[in-house]
Amino acid sequence: MSLTIGVDVSSLHFYRSGGRQMAETVPDLSLVPQPLWQEAERRALVLRPLAALRACPREQARAAAVALGVSERQVYRLLRRCREGGGTLTALVSSGSDGGRGKRRIEERRDALIRDAVAELYLTPQRLSAERIVVEVRRRARDQHVRPPSASTVRRRIAALSQEERRRRGDMEVPEAVLGSIVTAKAPLDVVQIDHTPVDLILVDPIERRPIGRPWVTVAIDVFSRCIAGFLITLEAPSATSVGLCLAHVASDKRVWLDAIGVDADWPVMGRPRCIGVDNAAEFHSEALERGCAQHDITIDWRPLGRPQVGGIVERVIGTLMELVHGLPGTTFSNVMQRGRYDSDKAACLTLAELERWLAVAIAKLYHLRPHAGLDGEAPLRRYQEGVRALAADGRTPPTPRDPRAFLIDFLPVVRRTLRRDGVVIDHIQYFSDALKPWIERDGPPRRILIRRDPRDLSRIYIHDPDDGGYLEVGYRELSRPPVSLWEHRLARSRLRRQRQSDIDEGVLFAAIEEMREIEVQARTTTRTTRRNQARRLGLRVIPEPEPRLSEPASLCPVRAVENTASSEPFDVEEW
């Protein structure tokens, strides 16, 4: 997907939770120790509802103090931090061990012994007892010549485990409604279901127009209105990153993105989901996704195993999208029987960017405006707009991230690199900003820094500042370089390897990307002329080819008639 950011990349930018500087350092989500994260989750469960009130009654503050084991004054202090942080979880993370009440006094090596033993032996289906964990921690401490922690310390750590961790171990029977149920929603973005599927279409690369295989689509649908809240098209297999980027698309204002890809349409759905319904795939259980959702107060509702009907809403809309895709050249159809003798590779002609535009038009100009059987014939967009008006009448709006860019950063993949005199190098690309000079000039060994980057736009990276807790937005060292995606970058490196280019540096890499883009432009302008000339040489009558009309996805390419078209889809197809 495209990402357009109109900011001077040479300047320094800080992104913090809620867009305001906190009194305490805000750590990157991946750096918060698990015990501190669990304590912040416990605090958030009690304090977020109180922070949403205009004023917290003293009786409720007292009850919260008892529940959290802190003073009433500390409750009001935490509420202030929660409001200033926009409700993010890191606003409630303890600042660290200083010997005070409720702080960790155990040193890091001993703490790591407990964490590792609990993760490897306790949180498993084998269900080892707490006593066995205590014995194992003591054994490991002796082997590493570390003073063993007390049995009570180990038992307290086990008792502090979250419900989700205990559910994975099998300790507790969680009521079915917690894991998933037939979902209902009372307002826009109350519940958003997310799922992936390989698209029934062979794509071609934009350079040589050769088949490159099937992409994946991640779709998010608003249960209340049946509007598609966001999607992501990628050639990478599903991961926590693809889920995070899809969530960022859900939360963002889509006008900038639609303008960037050249689609004139209205797609007003935007905001932070209160709950996401997902299946039990590994990417939905990743620590990165769980922490990102907890940070922004998004509940994850995992479907119960063996109950696919719980996710039927998103499954049906994906089935609908695939039905439309079956009308495009290069479709693989749903199965071999449907495909028959149709040569998908030979017919393929769409690139990833063209498919993204096609889907945007299909969703915004067709699906959202058609009567929907699940809404008693009402159009999804109209239902969404009515829901927003109903919220406005109550003085509310769909929840939105206070800082959309900070929201995006929290879901981006992490890389770690060493800071050098000339900046940072990632995949042969140099990044530098004057804001890095104070770090570079510090005495001592080179610093290992944490970086987040958006795979859709490598022109800038976000470097975590451990002193401040914010992120430095740093651009290319050579500002004249064009923005490129990670996929385009990998394609260029692969092309250079095929040309037996052994020394790949930044100049060679971007020269290859520029050459590929020139070939792509030439291919777009010459493909139609080439086909017409071939027809003339064969003595065929040349029929002028109309320009493709992206505003009518269903009529782009008629489906070729095939035999045995009975579908074996597990869900009905949505009506458009």
Side-chain angles (χ1 to χ4, degrees):
M1 294 175 64
S2 305
L3 181 67
T4 304
I5 304 178
V7 182
D8 179 7
V9 297
S10 63
S11 60
L12 168 64
H13 299 268
F14 288 97
Y15 295 109
R16 298 179 177 83
S17 298
R20 295 179 58 180
Q21 183 169 355
M22 306 295 295
E24 300 179 10
T25 297
V26 180
D28 184 89
L29 304 187
S30 63
L31 298 179
V32 181
Q34 187 65 16
L36 294 183
W37 187 265
Q38 291 171 352
E39 175 61 20
E41 288 182 314
R42 190 173 74 92
R43 290 177 173 181
L45 191 64
V46 176
L47 297 176
R48 273 173 171 163
L50 300 183
L53 303 175
R54 291 186 178 180
C56 176
R58 189 166 186 179
E59 296 77 12
Q60 295 189 35
R62 283 202 192 104
V66 172
L68 296 177
V70 298
S71 67
E72 187 177 329
R73 174 178 292 183
Q74 179 69 0
V75 166
Y76 284 110
R77 186 179 298 120
L78 290 172
L79 284 175
R80 184 174 64 252
R81 286 168 51 184
C82 186
R83 292 189 181 109
E84 290 176 350
T88 55
L89 199 69
T90 46
L92 299 175
V93 171
S94 172
S95 58
S97 176
D98 58 2
R101 181 181 180 184
K103 304 295 181 68
R104 302 286 182 192
R105 296 176 175 84
I106 188 170
E107 62 179 311
E108 176 59 29
R109 292 179 65 189
R110 299 166 71 204
D111 190 58
L113 282 175
I114 301 175
R115 288 201 309 268
D116 293 345
V118 169
E120 296 169 14
L121 302 175
Y122 186 79
L123 296 175
T124 64
Q126 193 173 352
R127 298 170 177 251
L128 295 182
S129 66
E131 183 60 33
R132 291 284 299 276
I133 305 303
V134 171
V135 172
E136 177 62 20
V137 168
R138 287 175 172 171
R139 185 191 67 78
R140 295 185 182 189
R142 286 195 301 270
D143 291 345
Q144 298 181 25
H145 305 289
V146 176
R147 185 166 61 89
S150 67
S152 60
T153 298
V154 177
R155 292 180 185 277
R156 280 197 301 269
R157 192 64 52 82
I158 292 173
L161 292 173
S162 66
Q163 287 191 0
E164 172 55 25
E165 289 172 313
R166 291 178 177 275
R167 184 183 69 79
R168 292 185 199 172
R169 179 181 186 258
D171 260 3
M172 51 194 300
E173 293 295 332
V174 182
E176 186 174 288
V178 174
L179 291 177
S181 58
I182 303 304
V183 185
T184 58
K186 297 181 179 179
L189 300 180
D190 268 1
V191 181
V192 170
Q193 289 189 354
I194 303 178
D195 206 355
H196 324 274
T197 190
V199 181
D200 296 339
L201 184 74
I202 300 295
L203 294 182
V204 297
D205 73 89
I207 311 304
E208 298 170 338
R209 295 279 166 168
R210 293 182 179 178
I212 57 175
R214 299 166 64 183
W216 285 84
V217 62
T218 302
V219 178
I221 184 169
D222 174 36
V223 171
F224 172 80
S225 66
R226 300 300 200 273
C227 279
I228 295 179
F231 74 92
L232 177 77
I233 287 284
T234 177
L235 291 167
E236 307 294 335
S239 64
T241 298
S242 57
V243 180
L245 290 176
C246 183
L247 276 173
H249 191 230
V250 171
S252 67
D253 185 343
K254 298 175 179 58
R255 288 176 296 183
V256 175
W257 166 70
L258 289 171
D259 289 342
I261 65 175
V263 174
D264 182 14
D266 183 26
W267 192 337
V269 184
M270 63 173 291
R272 171 179 54 82
R274 291 184 175 88
C275 174
I276 58 172
V278 298
D279 61 25
N280 286 276
E283 62 270 13
F284 293 122
H285 279 288
S286 70
E287 182 180 9
L289 178 66
E290 291 186 18
R291 288 200 170 193
C293 289
Q295 166 76 341
H296 296 282
D297 195 15
I298 301 173
T299 303
I300 304 179
D301 183 23
W302 289 277
R303 302 177 200 165
L305 295 174
R307 296 280 304 281
Q309 65 272 22
V310 174
I313 294 174
V314 68
E315 296 279 2
R316 282 192 291 271
V317 79
I318 285 177
T320 300
L321 291 177
M322 292 307 102
E323 286 288 331
L324 278 186
V325 167
H326 294 169
L328 293 174
T331 179
T332 60
F333 296 95
S334 298
N335 52 59
V336 176
M337 297 295 291
Q338 277 192 332
R339 186 163 65 246
R341 292 180 294 176
Y342 181 78
D343 191 336
S344 302
D345 283 358
K346 186 176 180 180
C349 65
L350 288 179
T351 65
L352 186 70
E354 291 163 350
L355 177 60
E356 181 187 33
R357 288 184 61 218
W358 186 91
L359 283 173
V361 172
I363 293 168
K365 292 191 173 184
L366 190 61
Y367 172 73
H368 283 170
L369 306 179
R370 293 285 183 87
H372 194 291
L375 303 175
D376 297 326
E378 189 175 8
L381 183 59
R382 183 174 180 181
R383 172 65 65 89
Y384 177 82
Q385 293 169 335
E386 289 177 352
V388 171
R389 285 194 290 269
L391 287 176
D394 292 338
R396 299 184 295 152
T397 59
T400 55
R402 179 178 295 184
D403 186 340
R405 290 186 179 178
F407 183 89
L408 170 64
I409 290 172
D410 285 336
F411 289 99
L412 294 180
V414 171
V415 295
R416 286 177 170 83
R417 291 293 186 273
T418 299
L419 181 62
R420 311 188 318 188
R421 302 292 301 178
D422 56 351
V424 179
V425 177
I426 305 177
D427 293 337
H428 305 287
I429 301 178
Q430 284 189 317
Y431 298 89
F432 184 80
S433 169
D434 289 340
L436 295 174
K437 288 183 178 179
W439 293 8
I440 296 172
E441 293 169 356
R442 288 180 184 175
D443 294 332
R447 300 183 61 173
R448 189 79 170 169
I449 55 177
L450 183 148
I451 303 167
R452 291 182 182 263
R453 65 172 181 172
D454 190 332
R456 303 167 299 177
D457 180 8
L458 303 186
S459 65
R460 66 204 69 228
I461 57 176
Y462 305 95
I463 300 178
H464 182 252
D465 185 347
D467 301 325
D468 168 276
Y471 293 90
L472 284 68
E473 182 179 321
V474 178
Y476 293 147
R477 185 178 183 88
E478 294 290 336
L479 299 180
S480 60
R481 307 291 192 201
V484 298
S485 68
L486 182 59
W487 178 83
E488 191 175 16
H489 177 276
R490 289 174 177 171
L491 186 64
R493 292 178 63 183
S494 175
R495 193 163 185 262
L496 290 172
R497 284 194 295 268
R498 289 199 304 269
Q499 296 173 355
R500 301 186 181 280
Q501 180 78 41
S502 56
D503 296 328
I504 301 178
D505 59 22
E506 183 174 324
V508 172
L509 183 65
F510 276 95
I513 291 174
E514 288 293 341
E515 181 182 357
M516 288 162 52
R517 290 182 173 180
E518 290 177 6
I519 295 173
E520 179 182 353
V521 171
Q522 293 173 3
R524 287 179 175 175
T525 58
T526 61
T527 298
R528 182 174 291 106
T529 302
T530 301
R531 288 200 300 266
R532 289 165 63 87
N533 290 338
Q534 288 175 343
R536 287 192 180 96
R537 284 195 296 270
L538 294 173
L540 301 177
R541 183 169 66 90
V542 179
I543 301 175
E545 298 184 22
E547 291 288 337
R549 299 173 60 191
L550 288 178
S551 60
E552 298 180 6
S555 63
L556 276 176
C557 302
V559 181
R560 175 174 172 260
V562 294
E563 297 180 358
N564 300 324
T565 57
S567 174
S568 58
E569 293 293 328
F571 297 100
D572 296 333
V573 174
E574 296 276 12
E575 291 189 12
W576 286 49

